[in-house]
Amino acid sequence: MKLLNAGSSGRGWSWRESLLRCPQKFAYRNILKIDEGSKEPLIKGSLVHIGLAHANVELLCEQNGWVNEHMPWRDAIAEQALQEDQAIGYGEAWQQWVELATGATGDYLAQRVAPRVIAVEHRLEMWIDADGNLVDPPADAKKRSSMATDPRLALLGPPYLHTTRIDLLEQDQMGRFWVTDYKTCYRIDARKRDGFALSGQILGLTRWGAQTYGADFGGSALQMLCLIKKGDRFPRVIPSPAPWALGAWGKTVVESEERLARLIDKDPMGWPKTFSEQGPCMDRYGPCSYRDICMTGKKSTFTS
């Protein structure tokens, strides 16, 4: 049975945000191809995501009378972890979290009201013109799409390609369409809930939904999953309206591509660096994986 692809969309917001926050980090990862490894919180989130994706595909097939060719969600979590550890070649960095991810996913599925599923892990391609507007695909869209992960795509100019992946596209009882994005964490508080109002990922999904469905678009929602059994573990969060940011989102995509075009042929060890103890150099997951390279200027100091 098949395992879904719930990985990177290729040219999504995390890719773009890295360039906007610290061009040097972007260069380490995407130009010099220095693998930074997978940090523990991202591993746990990825395993829960694949489990939910398979549960939602099963539901999608049931609702439409289709044959489900994908493995059960518990098996999908275990298989994803096994494949990731095999790719690393040693240890059980992923497999050690299978039990936690399986438990949290099962607890969530046991209490949720089954949604009307429209699409699962749906990869989108959005095209943005020089003014930040969403436009139709260009004549050479196929060529550009094949270059989604290639930084040199920026040199082709607008319209710029932005990709994203929808965890779950669902329809409510009123007929409105919702984009649901899953987020895992260990604590859910007002700060975490409010932080998504200016998430570039969520703003992009909202722009797409509004343009695609018009008045029938309900909005973007965050389905939170707390990995430990504490309090309200599974709140559904609707980000606060951010109309000005929503309007500026497209121009931000343009700025990132224009910045990349200006830097692409420069020495990748000399791209601008954001030196900040509370920014890229030290984020909520700990020190930047490339910290030692920036301190010494030597790629040989890197260990993932």
Side-chain angles (χ1 to χ4, degrees):
M1 302 188 81
K2 297 179 181 178
L3 182 68
L4 284 166
N5 176 13
S8 169
S9 64
R11 209 178 188 87
W13 194 260
S14 61
W15 183 94
R16 199 171 300 287
E17 184 179 10
S18 174
L19 175 65
L20 292 167
R21 285 169 61 85
C22 183
Q24 183 62 80
K25 182 174 182 177
F26 180 93
Y28 290 149
R29 180 191 296 160
N30 298 287
I31 307 298
L32 294 172
K33 305 295 184 181
I34 303 176
D35 183 13
E36 63 178 322
S38 296
K39 294 188 177 182
E40 184 180 298
L42 300 181
I43 292 175
K44 297 172 187 175
S46 296
L47 292 177
V48 171
H49 269 76
I50 196 67
L52 291 170
H54 277 254
N56 288 332
V57 163
E58 181 178 349
L59 191 56
L60 175 66
C61 292
E62 289 178 0
Q63 292 172 349
N64 290 278
W66 300 339
V67 175
N68 182 14
E69 298 180 347
H70 297 87
M71 62 183 62
W73 67 264
R74 289 181 178 85
D75 294 346
I77 292 176
E79 180 64 22
Q80 182 76 50
L82 178 62
Q83 289 188 14
E84 295 290 350
D85 280 338
Q86 287 178 338
I88 295 171
Y90 62 89
E92 296 185 349
W94 286 72
Q95 292 174 85
Q96 65 177 316
W97 300 113
V98 166
E99 183 177 354
L100 176 70
T102 302
T105 303
D107 290 346
Y108 167 69
L109 292 174
Q111 57 83 55
R112 79 167 177 177
V113 176
R116 174 61 180 171
V117 180
I118 305 301
V120 178
E121 290 299 329
H122 179 54
R123 182 180 179 274
L124 294 175
E125 291 190 348
M126 303 163 65
W127 300 93
I128 295 94
D129 69 12
D131 295 319
N133 302 307
L134 271 61
V135 296
D136 292 335
D140 61 346
K142 186 175 181 179
K143 172 186 175 182
R144 290 175 183 246
S145 296
S146 70
M147 298 174 65
T149 60
D150 186 349
R152 301 192 72 82
L153 175 57
L155 297 175
L156 298 184
Y160 295 112
L161 173 64
H162 178 79
T163 64
T164 190
R165 194 180 293 280
I166 296 177
D167 290 347
L168 173 65
L169 181 62
E170 58 183 297
Q171 191 173 24
D172 65 20
Q173 294 180 342
M174 300 295 291
R176 296 172 301 181
F177 295 89
W178 290 84
V179 171
T180 298
D181 194 75
Y182 295 114
K183 300 294 182 186
T184 56
C185 60
Y186 275 106
R187 182 181 62 184
I188 300 173
D189 53 25
R191 179 181 178 184
K192 184 171 289 292
R193 291 167 181 256
D194 294 343
F196 294 107
L198 292 176
S199 161
Q201 176 200 13
I202 301 305
L203 290 170
L205 290 169
T206 303
R207 277 286 297 269
W208 172 84
Q211 182 147 328
T212 302
Y213 294 107
D216 291 328
F217 183 58
S220 297
L222 286 305
Q223 179 56 62
M224 309 294 294
L225 289 92
C226 184
L227 296 176
I228 57 175
K229 296 182 178 182
K230 179 180 180 181
D232 182 8
R233 295 179 65 194
F234 309 119
R236 185 175 174 86
V237 177
I238 310 298
S240 301
W244 189 84
L246 200 60
W249 179 86
K251 288 294 290 183
T252 305
V253 171
V254 172
E255 165 57 29
S256 68
E257 295 285 350
E258 291 178 343
R259 174 181 292 188
L260 185 53
R262 293 193 298 269
L263 291 170
I264 196 67
D265 288 322
K266 297 183 182 297
D267 176 5
M269 288 294 289
W271 286 27
K273 301 164 181 62
T274 305
F275 294 125
S276 174
E277 76 282 2
Q278 294 183 351
C281 302
M282 180 70 73
D283 62 21
R284 65 184 183 276
Y285 298 131
C288 173
S289 298
Y290 305 112
R291 179 174 179 267
D292 287 347
I293 304 180
C294 280
M295 292 179 67
T296 66
K298 299 177 181 178
K299 296 193 286 292
S300 60
T301 63
F302 179 76
T303 56
S304 61

